[in-house]
Amino acid sequence: MRYIPKTSPPRVRSDWIAAQQAAGLVPRYADFRDKAALNDHLRTEQGHICCYCQQRISQSRRDAHNEHLIPQQGPHGDPSQDVAYSNLYASCSYSLGLQPGKAYCGEAKADRLIPPLIQDPSCAARFAYNVLGEILPACRSYPSYAGFIANRPALPASSLEALRVIEVLNLNAAYLVEERKKTLFVLLKFLNAFPEARIRALIPALDRAARLRAFADMLLFFMNKA
């Protein structure tokens, strides 16, 4: 996961809120009709990757939804955040309809609350990756996801926050682990073929690209270790 700095909201949203307020109405996300245009804006803001798993989001609008970081409903719902732009992200919908345990990202999160790490500039430093394709809390105590789960009581607070994010979003769903492993295999071949200086020179461009590569932070994690 990575920090997603918010830009200015799209005009379609701002104009709609102004019109609702002028009519004496409380703006509610359920009444907003330009959700697709909002999603296009959010995708661009995020470098065209999912805010959670970092898979590339295709051009098909069926492949992503507008995600409320603080839920709209349930025990953690906050009406004040219903149309707040700072609370809106684009999450992939690739696992829509899958059974519990296989769904991931916003489809797995539903109305649950997670620590808002994607709003923290140091977000990437809170996570690590292993060669199995798993995402882990950055604490180096355990080499696998199973090790963190088994030793939860011994984890520091920062690692517990990262672990909760991983668990609620199911970021180690079998499909995601396999896709990360495939991506990592290609990266490791590249790392073995080129000198360290060239690899280091590529890091800034990869990190700041307008269209980020899938699993960008995993790539950066291993490139920085090269």
Side-chain angles (χ1 to χ4, degrees):
M1 290 182 64
R2 67 167 34 214
Y3 166 60
I4 300 176
K6 303 299 286 183
T7 60
S8 298
R11 183 167 181 176
V12 65
R13 170 196 166 275
S14 302
D15 288 350
W16 171 77
I17 288 177
Q20 292 289 101
Q21 292 172 336
L25 300 173
V26 176
R28 300 187 188 282
Y29 180 79
D31 300 327
F32 182 53
R33 296 293 177 247
D34 291 306
K35 294 181 175 69
L38 173 60
N39 192 261
D40 287 342
H41 187 87
L42 292 169
R43 293 176 192 222
T44 301
E45 182 176 69
Q46 295 169 195
H48 301 273
I49 61 173
C50 172
C51 64
Y52 295 139
C53 71
Q54 295 194 6
Q55 289 187 96
R56 287 291 297 270
I57 299 175
S58 76
Q59 294 301 311
S60 171
R61 287 174 172 163
R62 295 173 299 176
D63 290 341
H65 63 271
N66 298 329
E67 167 75 3
H68 286 74
L69 183 61
I70 298 173
Q72 296 171 273
Q73 302 174 348
H76 303 292
D78 183 349
S80 71
Q81 296 298 305
D82 187 49
V83 295
Y85 187 66
S86 60
N87 193 46
L88 289 166
Y89 297 86
S91 171
C92 73
S93 296
Y94 296 131
S95 66
L96 177 65
L98 295 185
Q99 63 192 47
K102 293 186 177 181
Y104 50 82
C105 295
E107 305 300 339
K109 174 177 168 285
D111 292 335
R112 291 182 288 176
L113 189 66
I114 61 172
L117 299 189
I118 58 175
Q119 296 178 335
D120 180 354
S122 64
C123 177
R126 304 287 295 273
F127 297 91
Y129 302 84
N130 64 21
V131 294
L132 302 175
E134 295 177 329
I135 182 172
L136 311 169
C139 169
R140 297 176 182 270
S141 301
Y142 310 103
S144 70
Y145 183 55
F148 281 92
I149 296 296
N151 293 280
R152 187 191 306 269
L155 297 178
S158 61
S159 294
L160 285 171
E161 280 193 327
L163 185 61
R164 174 160 177 77
V165 168
I166 295 168
E167 287 183 299
V168 172
L169 300 176
N170 198 21
L171 295 182
N172 281 324
Y175 174 79
L176 291 177
V177 169
E178 187 60 28
E179 289 301 301
R180 284 195 207 99
K181 191 158 50 174
K182 290 177 185 177
T183 303
L184 180 57
F185 177 76
V186 175
L187 175 66
L188 292 179
K189 289 177 64 176
F190 171 78
L191 295 180
N192 289 329
F194 294 97
E196 179 183 342
R198 180 172 179 182
I199 295 167
R200 295 282 179 184
L202 292 174
I203 288 175
L206 175 60
D207 192 27
R208 299 168 191 161
R211 287 184 175 270
L212 293 166
R213 291 184 176 273
F215 308 118
D217 278 326
M218 180 191 71
L219 299 178
L220 291 166
F221 177 81
F222 283 100
M223 289 174 75
N224 278 307
K225 290 177 64 175

